[in-house]
Amino acid sequence: MPATVAERQVRISCVAGRYLVFDIDDVLYIRRHHGICAVLTGTMPQNPTQNLFLGLPVELHAEEAKLLVDRKAAYIADELSDHLSQLTTMDETTRGAYLQHVKQQRRNAKLAFDEEKAKVQAMHQGKRKAASKANKTAASLEGASAAPEGESPSLFDPPTTTGVVAGPATTTTTTTPSKEALPAITPTTSSALLSGATPVLDGPIPASSYSLYKYLNSRGYYTTPGLRFGGDYSVYPGDPFRYHAHYLANSYGWDEQIGMLDVVTSGRLGTAVKKSFLFGAESPSKPDPDGGEGGEMRVFCVEWAGM
Amino acid sequence: MATHDHITALANVVLNNVQYQHDWTQVQTHSQPNLPRPLIYGLPPKRLYVHPDEQVDIIRAEKERGEPIAQEPELEWVLPLHLSESWTPGQFAAVFDAIDAIPPGGAADQDLPGFDDSASQWKLWRGPKRGKRILLATVQDDSTVTYYWIHDGLVKPRQN
């Protein structure tokens, strides 16, 4: 497992200048191992949901994509040209393999559906049994209590038997009913389709706040977009599922003028939401003490003094 | 030297404000060749800042001793600024590089005994564990002075 984690290459799809990750395993991986949450952006265009319920794909900031590329944990694929070239050059065998792959996914989906269905059925039957059991007299209770235990495995039998049957059914019986039996699926990734070498784009040109982002990420902080608090990032001391943000962070140039009103307003806002206003800049003169290529990061935290 | 006059006047406004409105004592200006402008330091009437981790140490010590620990005020740095000013991160870094965490005559000079036992860990925050912090005293033309802490480095927010 650790070896596969170390070797994992996340495919970041560059679509219209946006950096997207479509594979749920990649999303989990970058969250667990690189402290990158990014933002879920997917929805159905004809039935948009609230932001809270958005799904795949996940959109990365340019600085998040660059961090992953710099760590050699990801590559950036030019999705448009890659799909076009691979679809036009596809031969019969790769086509066949892809169709087979889709069929297998449909079978897996059917299995999952059947299991779910059987579970629900079992639950309902169990309820009905319990109800009828309650109606029975106390004298017959002892015999009845043994019966459900004996029967309960059989309640879970249907999914396993159908699972076994599902295989031969597609091959032995007539093809038309088996085709209808398999559910249609929409794959979330085209990983099986794109088997050839992917043209890799250069790392993105990140925002000027990249050095601050890298500094925070290397110290185990998670970031989310900071606009809701008027900054570049909201900074969490761990996964945002577990922690509240500690800082609202803004990045500046070493010689960039910061108006005192900005410091006061951001400091005030931060204190009002139990956070600290963090601003940072990269020193051009001193080298990075962590051994990075840039200069030393200096960060300052501002909070209301209470006087 | 118009700028020099302005900075002196600014320092006087802040000095008077902390002394007479906020009842600070031992208030002094502090000049140093590598400081872009004079700082002020003084002793507030009550403790102005407790680091969240220090608070944990204090609570632990109070539990072990079974009695509350009185929190004496500490000497604090003040940087006088005008609202119309703009500072760069480089300038803030220069100020932090020029000063010690504890103003002259502060607690580090006194000998704090016994840091070894867990009940005395909180005392470290008044000495070696104290981070560099400065009160930004921002003056507006209507004589309003607002005070904000600025810490050097990543310092987590207080649980207020």
Side-chain angles (χ1 to χ4, degrees), chain A residues 219 221 246-247 253-260 264 267-268 271 274 278-279 281 286 298-305 307, chain B residues 22 48-49 81-83 85-90 93 96-97 135 138 147-158 160:
Chain A
R219 277 155 183 76
Y221 287 94
H246 272 185
Y247 311 103
W254 188 250
D255 292 317
E256 192 177 341
Q257 304 269 325
I258 310 168
M260 283 316 297
V264 170
R268 186 76 212 200
T271 306
K274 303 191 179 191
L278 181 156
F279 65 96
K286 284 185 191 164
R298 286 297 292 264
V299 296
F300 307 102
C301 293
V302 177
E303 53 183 336
W304 186 49
M307 63 177 272
Chain B
H22 295 289
L48 274 186
Y49 181 80
L81 292 158
H82 193 273
L83 189 65
E85 286 184 80
S86 291
W87 273 48
T88 66
F96 275 116
D97 289 343
L135 263 184
T138 310
Y147 293 94
Y148 280 83
W149 283 118
I150 184 167
H151 301 274
D152 191 15
L154 285 168
V155 179
K156 60 181 161 187
R158 288 178 287 179
N160 46 10

Short mmCIF file of all heavy atoms in Angstrom, two decimals, chain A residues 219 221 246-247 253-260 264 267-268 271 274 278-279 281 286 298-305 307, chain B residues 22 48-49 81-83 85-90 93 96-97 135 138 147-158 160:
data_model
loop_
_atom_site.label_atom_id
_atom_site.label_comp_id
_atom_site.label_asym_id
_atom_site.label_seq_id
_atom_site.Cartn_x
_atom_site.Cartn_y
_atom_site.Cartn_z
N ARG A 219 3.64 23.06 6.40
CA ARG A 219 3.50 22.97 7.86
C ARG A 219 2.23 22.26 8.27
O ARG A 219 1.80 22.34 9.42
CB ARG A 219 3.53 24.38 8.45
CG ARG A 219 4.96 24.86 8.63
CD ARG A 219 5.08 26.35 8.63
NE ARG A 219 6.48 26.73 8.73
CZ ARG A 219 7.34 26.65 7.73
NH1 ARG A 219 6.94 26.23 6.54
NH2 ARG A 219 8.61 26.97 7.88
N TYR A 221 -0.87 22.74 7.23
CA TYR A 221 -2.11 23.48 7.20
C TYR A 221 -2.88 23.18 5.92
O TYR A 221 -2.30 22.97 4.87
CB TYR A 221 -1.84 24.99 7.28
CG TYR A 221 -1.40 25.44 8.64
CD1 TYR A 221 -0.04 25.55 8.96
CD2 TYR A 221 -2.32 25.73 9.63
CE1 TYR A 221 0.37 25.95 10.21
CE2 TYR A 221 -1.92 26.13 10.89
CZ TYR A 221 -0.58 26.24 11.17
OH TYR A 221 -0.17 26.62 12.43
N HIS A 246 -7.98 28.74 11.52
CA HIS A 246 -7.24 29.58 12.46
C HIS A 246 -6.93 30.95 11.89
O HIS A 246 -6.82 31.92 12.63
CB HIS A 246 -5.91 28.90 12.83
CG HIS A 246 -6.03 27.96 13.99
ND1 HIS A 246 -4.95 27.33 14.55
CD2 HIS A 246 -7.10 27.56 14.70
CE1 HIS A 246 -5.35 26.58 15.55
NE2 HIS A 246 -6.66 26.70 15.66
N TYR A 247 -6.72 31.00 10.58
CA TYR A 247 -6.26 32.26 9.99
C TYR A 247 -7.03 32.59 8.73
O TYR A 247 -7.51 31.72 8.01
CB TYR A 247 -4.77 32.17 9.60
CG TYR A 247 -3.87 31.64 10.66
CD1 TYR A 247 -3.39 30.33 10.60
CD2 TYR A 247 -3.48 32.44 11.72
CE1 TYR A 247 -2.55 29.84 11.57
CE2 TYR A 247 -2.64 31.96 12.69
CZ TYR A 247 -2.18 30.65 12.62
OH TYR A 247 -1.34 30.16 13.58
N GLY A 253 3.69 41.17 -1.73
CA GLY A 253 5.10 41.25 -2.13
C GLY A 253 5.91 41.83 -0.98
O GLY A 253 5.36 42.49 -0.10
N TRP A 254 7.20 41.57 -0.98
CA TRP A 254 8.07 42.03 0.11
C TRP A 254 8.02 43.55 0.24
O TRP A 254 8.06 44.08 1.34
CB TRP A 254 9.50 41.56 -0.16
CG TRP A 254 10.44 41.81 0.97
CD1 TRP A 254 11.46 42.71 1.00
CD2 TRP A 254 10.47 41.16 2.25
NE1 TRP A 254 12.12 42.66 2.20
CE2 TRP A 254 11.53 41.70 2.98
CE3 TRP A 254 9.68 40.16 2.82
CZ2 TRP A 254 11.83 41.29 4.28
CZ3 TRP A 254 9.99 39.75 4.13
CH2 TRP A 254 11.05 40.32 4.82
N ASP A 255 7.94 44.24 -0.87
CA ASP A 255 7.91 45.70 -0.85
C ASP A 255 6.56 46.25 -1.25
O ASP A 255 6.44 47.39 -1.70
CB ASP A 255 9.00 46.26 -1.76
CG ASP A 255 10.39 45.96 -1.21
OD1 ASP A 255 10.58 46.12 0.01
OD2 ASP A 255 11.26 45.54 -1.99
N GLU A 256 5.52 45.42 -1.10
CA GLU A 256 4.18 45.89 -1.44
C GLU A 256 3.60 46.66 -0.26
O GLU A 256 3.68 46.23 0.89
CB GLU A 256 3.29 44.67 -1.76
CG GLU A 256 1.98 45.04 -2.40
CD GLU A 256 1.16 43.80 -2.78
OE1 GLU A 256 1.74 42.70 -2.89
OE2 GLU A 256 -0.06 43.96 -2.97
N GLN A 257 3.01 47.81 -0.58
CA GLN A 257 2.46 48.66 0.47
C GLN A 257 1.13 48.08 0.96
O GLN A 257 0.27 47.73 0.16
CB GLN A 257 2.20 50.06 -0.10
CG GLN A 257 3.41 50.71 -0.72
CD GLN A 257 4.17 51.54 0.28
OE1 GLN A 257 3.57 52.17 1.15
NE2 GLN A 257 5.48 51.55 0.18
N ILE A 258 1.00 47.96 2.28
CA ILE A 258 -0.27 47.51 2.87
C ILE A 258 -0.82 48.69 3.65
O ILE A 258 -0.19 49.17 4.60
CB ILE A 258 -0.06 46.32 3.82
CG1 ILE A 258 0.78 45.23 3.14
CG2 ILE A 258 -1.39 45.75 4.27
CD1 ILE A 258 1.26 44.18 4.11
N GLY A 259 -2.00 49.14 3.25
CA GLY A 259 -2.61 50.25 3.96
C GLY A 259 -2.96 49.84 5.38
O GLY A 259 -3.39 48.71 5.62
N MET A 260 -2.76 50.75 6.34
CA MET A 260 -3.07 50.40 7.73
C MET A 260 -4.55 50.09 7.91
O MET A 260 -4.93 49.29 8.75
CB MET A 260 -2.67 51.55 8.67
CG MET A 260 -1.18 51.64 8.94
SD MET A 260 -0.42 50.05 9.27
CE MET A 260 -1.26 49.58 10.76
N VAL A 264 -6.18 46.96 9.86
CA VAL A 264 -7.16 47.12 10.94
C VAL A 264 -8.46 46.39 10.60
O VAL A 264 -8.99 45.63 11.41
CB VAL A 264 -7.42 48.62 11.20
CG1 VAL A 264 -8.61 48.80 12.14
CG2 VAL A 264 -6.20 49.27 11.81
N GLY A 267 -7.88 42.60 10.56
CA GLY A 267 -7.64 42.15 11.93
C GLY A 267 -8.93 42.11 12.71
O GLY A 267 -9.21 41.18 13.47
N ARG A 268 -9.76 43.13 12.49
CA ARG A 268 -11.03 43.21 13.21
C ARG A 268 -11.97 42.09 12.76
O ARG A 268 -12.60 41.42 13.58
CB ARG A 268 -11.66 44.58 12.93
CG ARG A 268 -12.91 44.84 13.72
CD ARG A 268 -12.54 45.16 15.12
NE ARG A 268 -13.56 44.70 16.06
CZ ARG A 268 -13.70 45.17 17.28
NH1 ARG A 268 -12.89 46.10 17.75
NH2 ARG A 268 -14.61 44.70 18.08
N THR A 271 -10.79 38.74 14.14
CA THR A 271 -11.08 38.55 15.55
C THR A 271 -12.57 38.26 15.76
O THR A 271 -12.94 37.45 16.59
CB THR A 271 -10.67 39.80 16.34
OG1 THR A 271 -9.30 40.07 16.05
CG2 THR A 271 -10.82 39.58 17.83
N LYS A 274 -13.20 34.70 15.35
CA LYS A 274 -12.27 33.87 16.13
C LYS A 274 -11.09 33.38 15.32
O LYS A 274 -10.65 32.23 15.45
CB LYS A 274 -12.99 32.68 16.76
CG LYS A 274 -14.15 33.13 17.63
CD LYS A 274 -14.69 31.98 18.44
CE LYS A 274 -15.82 32.47 19.32
NZ LYS A 274 -16.24 31.54 20.31
N LEU A 278 -3.58 36.67 8.94
CA LEU A 278 -2.19 36.32 8.66
C LEU A 278 -1.78 36.96 7.34
O LEU A 278 -2.51 36.85 6.36
CB LEU A 278 -2.08 34.80 8.57
CG LEU A 278 -0.75 34.11 8.31
CD1 LEU A 278 -0.85 32.69 8.85
CD2 LEU A 278 -0.38 34.04 6.86
N PHE A 279 -0.64 37.65 7.33
CA PHE A 279 -0.13 38.06 6.02
C PHE A 279 1.33 37.68 5.93
O PHE A 279 2.05 37.63 6.92
CB PHE A 279 -0.38 39.54 5.74
CG PHE A 279 0.34 40.52 6.62
CD1 PHE A 279 1.54 41.08 6.22
CD2 PHE A 279 -0.22 40.90 7.82
CE1 PHE A 279 2.20 42.00 7.03
CE2 PHE A 279 0.43 41.82 8.63
CZ PHE A 279 1.64 42.37 8.23
N ALA A 281 5.02 37.37 3.24
CA ALA A 281 5.76 37.77 2.05
C ALA A 281 7.07 37.00 2.02
O ALA A 281 7.56 36.54 3.04
CB ALA A 281 6.02 39.28 2.07
N LYS A 286 17.05 36.91 2.09
CA LYS A 286 17.46 35.74 2.89
C LYS A 286 17.02 34.45 2.21
O LYS A 286 15.88 34.36 1.73
CB LYS A 286 16.81 35.82 4.27
CG LYS A 286 17.47 36.82 5.19
CD LYS A 286 16.84 36.73 6.56
CE LYS A 286 17.29 37.90 7.43
NZ LYS A 286 16.45 38.07 8.60
N ARG A 298 8.30 35.28 5.52
CA ARG A 298 8.01 35.93 6.80
C ARG A 298 6.51 36.08 6.89
O ARG A 298 5.88 36.59 5.97
CB ARG A 298 8.68 37.32 6.84
CG ARG A 298 10.18 37.26 7.04
CD ARG A 298 10.59 36.64 8.35
NE ARG A 298 10.25 37.41 9.53
CZ ARG A 298 11.11 38.24 10.12
NH1 ARG A 298 12.33 38.40 9.68
NH2 ARG A 298 10.72 38.90 11.20
N VAL A 299 5.94 35.60 7.99
CA VAL A 299 4.50 35.75 8.17
C VAL A 299 4.24 36.48 9.49
O VAL A 299 5.02 36.38 10.44
CB VAL A 299 3.77 34.39 8.16
CG1 VAL A 299 3.90 33.71 6.83
CG2 VAL A 299 4.24 33.50 9.27
N PHE A 300 3.17 37.24 9.49
CA PHE A 300 2.77 38.00 10.67
C PHE A 300 1.28 37.76 10.92
O PHE A 300 0.51 37.62 9.99
CB PHE A 300 3.02 39.49 10.44
CG PHE A 300 4.42 39.79 10.01
CD1 PHE A 300 4.70 40.06 8.68
CD2 PHE A 300 5.47 39.77 10.92
CE1 PHE A 300 6.00 40.31 8.26
CE2 PHE A 300 6.76 40.01 10.51
CZ PHE A 300 7.03 40.29 9.17
N CYS A 301 0.91 37.69 12.19
CA CYS A 301 -0.48 37.46 12.54
C CYS A 301 -1.01 38.67 13.30
O CYS A 301 -0.37 39.15 14.23
CB CYS A 301 -0.60 36.22 13.43
SG CYS A 301 -0.17 34.74 12.54
N VAL A 302 -2.17 39.13 12.88
CA VAL A 302 -2.76 40.33 13.48
C VAL A 302 -4.08 39.94 14.14
O VAL A 302 -4.88 39.25 13.54
CB VAL A 302 -2.99 41.41 12.41
CG1 VAL A 302 -3.68 42.62 13.02
CG2 VAL A 302 -1.69 41.82 11.76
N GLU A 303 -4.25 40.36 15.38
CA GLU A 303 -5.54 40.20 16.03
C GLU A 303 -5.81 41.39 16.93
O GLU A 303 -4.89 42.11 17.33
CB GLU A 303 -5.63 38.87 16.80
CG GLU A 303 -4.51 38.62 17.77
CD GLU A 303 -4.61 37.25 18.45
OE1 GLU A 303 -5.71 36.70 18.53
OE2 GLU A 303 -3.57 36.77 18.90
N TRP A 304 -7.06 41.59 17.23
CA TRP A 304 -7.45 42.73 18.05
C TRP A 304 -6.84 42.60 19.43
O TRP A 304 -6.81 41.51 20.01
CB TRP A 304 -8.98 42.78 18.13
CG TRP A 304 -9.53 43.97 18.81
CD1 TRP A 304 -9.20 45.28 18.58
CD2 TRP A 304 -10.50 43.99 19.85
NE1 TRP A 304 -9.92 46.11 19.39
CE2 TRP A 304 -10.73 45.35 20.18
CE3 TRP A 304 -11.23 43.01 20.52
CZ2 TRP A 304 -11.64 45.74 21.17
CZ3 TRP A 304 -12.13 43.40 21.49
CH2 TRP A 304 -12.33 44.74 21.81
N ALA A 305 -6.37 43.74 19.97
CA ALA A 305 -5.69 43.68 21.26
C ALA A 305 -6.65 43.71 22.43
O ALA A 305 -6.27 43.42 23.55
CB ALA A 305 -4.70 44.83 21.37
N MET A 307 -8.15 46.41 23.67
CA MET A 307 -8.05 47.66 24.45
C MET A 307 -8.30 48.86 23.57
O MET A 307 -8.30 48.76 22.38
CB MET A 307 -6.68 47.77 25.11
CG MET A 307 -5.52 47.86 24.14
SD MET A 307 -3.95 48.08 24.98
CE MET A 307 -3.86 49.86 25.10
N HIS B 22 -5.25 54.48 28.99
CA HIS B 22 -5.20 53.05 29.32
C HIS B 22 -4.41 52.76 30.58
O HIS B 22 -4.15 51.60 30.90
CB HIS B 22 -4.64 52.28 28.13
CG HIS B 22 -5.53 52.35 26.92
ND1 HIS B 22 -6.74 51.71 26.86
CD2 HIS B 22 -5.41 53.03 25.75
CE1 HIS B 22 -7.32 51.97 25.69
NE2 HIS B 22 -6.53 52.78 25.00
N LEU B 48 -2.30 41.82 28.96
CA LEU B 48 -2.95 42.08 27.69
C LEU B 48 -3.01 40.85 26.80
O LEU B 48 -3.92 40.72 26.00
CB LEU B 48 -2.18 43.17 26.93
CG LEU B 48 -2.53 44.61 27.27
CD1 LEU B 48 -1.80 45.53 26.32
CD2 LEU B 48 -4.02 44.85 27.16
N TYR B 49 -2.02 39.98 26.91
CA TYR B 49 -2.00 38.86 25.97
C TYR B 49 -1.59 37.56 26.67
O TYR B 49 -0.59 37.54 27.38
CB TYR B 49 -1.02 39.13 24.82
CG TYR B 49 -0.98 38.00 23.83
CD1 TYR B 49 -1.98 37.88 22.86
CD2 TYR B 49 0.00 37.01 23.89
CE1 TYR B 49 -1.98 36.83 21.98
CE2 TYR B 49 0.01 35.95 23.01
CZ TYR B 49 -0.99 35.87 22.06
OH TYR B 49 -1.01 34.81 21.18
N LEU B 81 1.61 54.28 14.62
CA LEU B 81 1.37 54.38 13.19
C LEU B 81 0.21 55.34 12.94
O LEU B 81 -0.63 55.50 13.81
CB LEU B 81 0.98 53.01 12.61
CG LEU B 81 2.02 51.92 12.58
CD1 LEU B 81 1.34 50.57 12.51
CD2 LEU B 81 2.93 52.10 11.38
N HIS B 82 0.19 55.92 11.77
CA HIS B 82 -0.97 56.72 11.38
C HIS B 82 -1.79 55.94 10.37
O HIS B 82 -1.24 55.18 9.58
CB HIS B 82 -0.54 58.07 10.79
CG HIS B 82 -1.69 59.03 10.67
ND1 HIS B 82 -2.50 59.07 9.58
CD2 HIS B 82 -2.17 59.94 11.55
CE1 HIS B 82 -3.43 59.98 9.77
NE2 HIS B 82 -3.26 60.54 10.96
N LEU B 83 -3.10 56.14 10.42
CA LEU B 83 -4.00 55.37 9.56
C LEU B 83 -3.69 55.57 8.07
O LEU B 83 -3.90 54.68 7.26
CB LEU B 83 -5.45 55.77 9.83
CG LEU B 83 -6.51 54.90 9.16
CD1 LEU B 83 -6.49 53.49 9.70
CD2 LEU B 83 -7.89 55.50 9.34
N GLU B 85 -0.89 55.72 6.71
CA GLU B 85 0.38 55.10 6.30
C GLU B 85 0.15 53.76 5.62
O GLU B 85 -0.87 53.11 5.83
CB GLU B 85 1.27 54.87 7.53
CG GLU B 85 1.87 56.12 8.09
CD GLU B 85 2.82 55.77 9.23
OE1 GLU B 85 3.96 55.36 8.95
OE2 GLU B 85 2.40 55.90 10.39
N SER B 86 1.13 53.37 4.83
CA SER B 86 1.17 52.02 4.28
C SER B 86 2.54 51.44 4.58
O SER B 86 3.55 52.08 4.32
CB SER B 86 0.96 52.05 2.76
OG SER B 86 -0.34 52.43 2.45
N TRP B 87 2.53 50.25 5.16
CA TRP B 87 3.80 49.60 5.47
C TRP B 87 3.96 48.37 4.60
O TRP B 87 2.97 47.73 4.22
CB TRP B 87 3.85 49.20 6.95
CG TRP B 87 4.35 50.30 7.82
CD1 TRP B 87 3.93 51.60 7.80
CD2 TRP B 87 5.35 50.21 8.83
NE1 TRP B 87 4.60 52.32 8.74
CE2 TRP B 87 5.49 51.49 9.39
CE3 TRP B 87 6.14 49.17 9.33
CZ2 TRP B 87 6.39 51.77 10.41
CZ3 TRP B 87 7.02 49.44 10.35
CH2 TRP B 87 7.16 50.72 10.89
N THR B 88 5.20 48.00 4.33
CA THR B 88 5.46 46.78 3.56
C THR B 88 5.82 45.66 4.53
O THR B 88 6.25 45.92 5.66
CB THR B 88 6.63 46.99 2.59
OG1 THR B 88 7.82 47.19 3.36
CG2 THR B 88 6.40 48.20 1.69
N PRO B 89 5.62 44.40 4.11
CA PRO B 89 6.07 43.29 4.96
C PRO B 89 7.54 43.41 5.34
O PRO B 89 7.94 43.07 6.46
CB PRO B 89 5.82 42.07 4.08
CG PRO B 89 4.70 42.46 3.19
CD PRO B 89 4.90 43.93 2.91
N GLY B 90 8.35 43.95 4.42
CA GLY B 90 9.77 44.13 4.70
C GLY B 90 10.00 45.05 5.89
O GLY B 90 10.87 44.81 6.73
N ALA B 93 9.12 43.26 9.05
CA ALA B 93 10.18 42.30 9.36
C ALA B 93 11.39 43.00 9.96
O ALA B 93 12.01 42.50 10.91
CB ALA B 93 10.57 41.55 8.09
N PHE B 96 10.73 43.74 13.62
CA PHE B 96 10.81 42.53 14.45
C PHE B 96 12.25 42.06 14.59
O PHE B 96 12.65 41.56 15.66
CB PHE B 96 9.95 41.42 13.86
CG PHE B 96 8.51 41.49 14.27
CD1 PHE B 96 7.52 41.73 13.36
CD2 PHE B 96 8.17 41.33 15.61
CE1 PHE B 96 6.19 41.80 13.75
CE2 PHE B 96 6.84 41.40 16.01
CZ PHE B 96 5.85 41.64 15.08
N ASP B 97 13.05 42.21 13.51
CA ASP B 97 14.44 41.77 13.59
C ASP B 97 15.24 42.63 14.55
O ASP B 97 16.23 42.19 15.13
CB ASP B 97 15.07 41.79 12.19
CG ASP B 97 14.52 40.69 11.30
OD1 ASP B 97 13.91 39.75 11.85
OD2 ASP B 97 14.70 40.77 10.07
N LEU B 135 2.25 45.84 19.79
CA LEU B 135 0.93 46.46 19.66
C LEU B 135 1.02 47.51 18.56
O LEU B 135 1.83 48.43 18.65
CB LEU B 135 0.55 47.15 20.97
CG LEU B 135 -0.32 46.43 21.96
CD1 LEU B 135 -0.61 47.38 23.13
CD2 LEU B 135 -1.63 45.99 21.35
N THR B 138 -2.67 52.43 15.94
CA THR B 138 -2.99 53.18 14.72
C THR B 138 -3.80 54.42 15.09
O THR B 138 -4.87 54.31 15.68
CB THR B 138 -3.79 52.30 13.75
OG1 THR B 138 -3.09 51.05 13.61
CG2 THR B 138 -3.90 52.95 12.40
N TYR B 147 -5.82 49.56 18.81
CA TYR B 147 -4.68 48.70 19.15
C TYR B 147 -4.90 47.29 18.61
O TYR B 147 -5.92 46.65 18.89
CB TYR B 147 -4.50 48.66 20.66
CG TYR B 147 -4.07 49.99 21.23
CD1 TYR B 147 -5.01 50.89 21.73
CD2 TYR B 147 -2.73 50.36 21.24
CE1 TYR B 147 -4.64 52.12 22.23
CE2 TYR B 147 -2.34 51.59 21.74
CZ TYR B 147 -3.30 52.46 22.23
OH TYR B 147 -2.91 53.69 22.72
N TYR B 148 -3.95 46.84 17.84
CA TYR B 148 -3.99 45.48 17.30
C TYR B 148 -2.65 44.81 17.57
O TYR B 148 -1.60 45.43 17.44
CB TYR B 148 -4.27 45.49 15.77
CG TYR B 148 -5.73 45.69 15.49
CD1 TYR B 148 -6.27 46.96 15.50
CD2 TYR B 148 -6.55 44.60 15.31
CE1 TYR B 148 -7.62 47.15 15.31
CE2 TYR B 148 -7.91 44.78 15.11
CZ TYR B 148 -8.44 46.06 15.11
OH TYR B 148 -9.77 46.23 14.94
N TRP B 149 -2.70 43.54 17.94
CA TRP B 149 -1.47 42.78 18.08
C TRP B 149 -0.94 42.38 16.72
O TRP B 149 -1.71 41.99 15.85
CB TRP B 149 -1.70 41.47 18.87
CG TRP B 149 -1.83 41.65 20.33
CD1 TRP B 149 -2.91 41.37 21.10
CD2 TRP B 149 -0.82 42.13 21.22
NE1 TRP B 149 -2.65 41.67 22.41
CE2 TRP B 149 -1.37 42.13 22.51
CE3 TRP B 149 0.49 42.58 21.05
CZ2 TRP B 149 -0.66 42.55 23.63
CZ3 TRP B 149 1.20 43.00 22.16
CH2 TRP B 149 0.63 42.99 23.43
N ILE B 150 0.35 42.46 16.56
CA ILE B 150 0.97 41.80 15.42
C ILE B 150 2.04 40.87 15.96
O ILE B 150 2.86 41.26 16.80
CB ILE B 150 1.52 42.80 14.38
CG1 ILE B 150 2.08 42.06 13.17
CG2 ILE B 150 2.55 43.74 14.97
CD1 ILE B 150 2.35 42.95 11.98
N HIS B 151 1.96 39.60 15.58
CA HIS B 151 2.90 38.58 16.04
C HIS B 151 3.86 38.24 14.92
O HIS B 151 3.48 38.24 13.76
CB HIS B 151 2.16 37.31 16.46
CG HIS B 151 1.17 37.51 17.54
ND1 HIS B 151 1.49 37.48 18.87
CD2 HIS B 151 -0.17 37.76 17.49
CE1 HIS B 151 0.41 37.68 19.59
NE2 HIS B 151 -0.62 37.87 18.78
N ASP B 152 5.06 37.92 15.30
CA ASP B 152 6.05 37.47 14.33
C ASP B 152 5.90 35.96 14.16
O ASP B 152 6.08 35.21 15.11
CB ASP B 152 7.47 37.81 14.84
CG ASP B 152 8.51 37.60 13.76
OD1 ASP B 152 8.14 37.47 12.59
OD2 ASP B 152 9.72 37.59 14.11
N GLY B 153 5.55 35.51 12.98
CA GLY B 153 5.40 34.08 12.72
C GLY B 153 3.96 33.62 12.88
O GLY B 153 3.05 34.41 13.08
N LEU B 154 3.79 32.29 12.76
CA LEU B 154 2.45 31.70 12.87
C LEU B 154 2.08 31.58 14.34
O LEU B 154 2.64 30.77 15.06
CB LEU B 154 2.44 30.31 12.24
CG LEU B 154 2.45 30.20 10.72
CD1 LEU B 154 2.73 28.76 10.31
CD2 LEU B 154 1.16 30.67 10.14
N VAL B 155 1.14 32.38 14.79
CA VAL B 155 0.67 32.33 16.17
C VAL B 155 -0.84 32.13 16.14
O VAL B 155 -1.56 32.94 15.57
CB VAL B 155 1.03 33.62 16.92
CG1 VAL B 155 0.52 33.55 18.35
CG2 VAL B 155 2.52 33.86 16.91
N LYS B 156 -1.28 31.04 16.73
CA LYS B 156 -2.71 30.73 16.61
C LYS B 156 -3.54 31.74 17.39
O LYS B 156 -3.07 32.32 18.36
CB LYS B 156 -2.99 29.31 17.03
CG LYS B 156 -2.62 28.93 18.43
CD LYS B 156 -2.96 27.46 18.64
CE LYS B 156 -2.22 26.88 19.82
NZ LYS B 156 -2.42 25.45 19.93
N PRO B 157 -4.79 31.92 16.95
CA PRO B 157 -5.63 32.95 17.59
C PRO B 157 -6.03 32.55 19.00
O PRO B 157 -6.05 31.37 19.34
CB PRO B 157 -6.84 33.03 16.67
CG PRO B 157 -6.90 31.71 16.00
CD PRO B 157 -5.49 31.24 15.86
N ARG B 158 -6.33 33.56 19.78
CA ARG B 158 -6.79 33.28 21.15
C ARG B 158 -8.23 32.80 21.13
O ARG B 158 -8.98 33.10 20.21
CB ARG B 158 -6.69 34.58 21.98
CG ARG B 158 -5.28 34.95 22.28
CD ARG B 158 -5.25 36.24 23.05
NE ARG B 158 -5.57 37.38 22.20
CZ ARG B 158 -5.62 38.63 22.63
NH1 ARG B 158 -5.41 38.89 23.90
NH2 ARG B 158 -5.90 39.62 21.81
N ASN B 160 -11.08 33.69 22.21
CA ASN B 160 -11.88 34.73 22.87
C ASN B 160 -13.34 34.63 22.47
O ASN B 160 -13.71 33.88 21.60
CB ASN B 160 -11.30 36.12 22.56
CG ASN B 160 -11.01 36.25 21.09
OD1 ASN B 160 -11.39 35.39 20.30
ND2 ASN B 160 -10.32 37.29 20.72
#
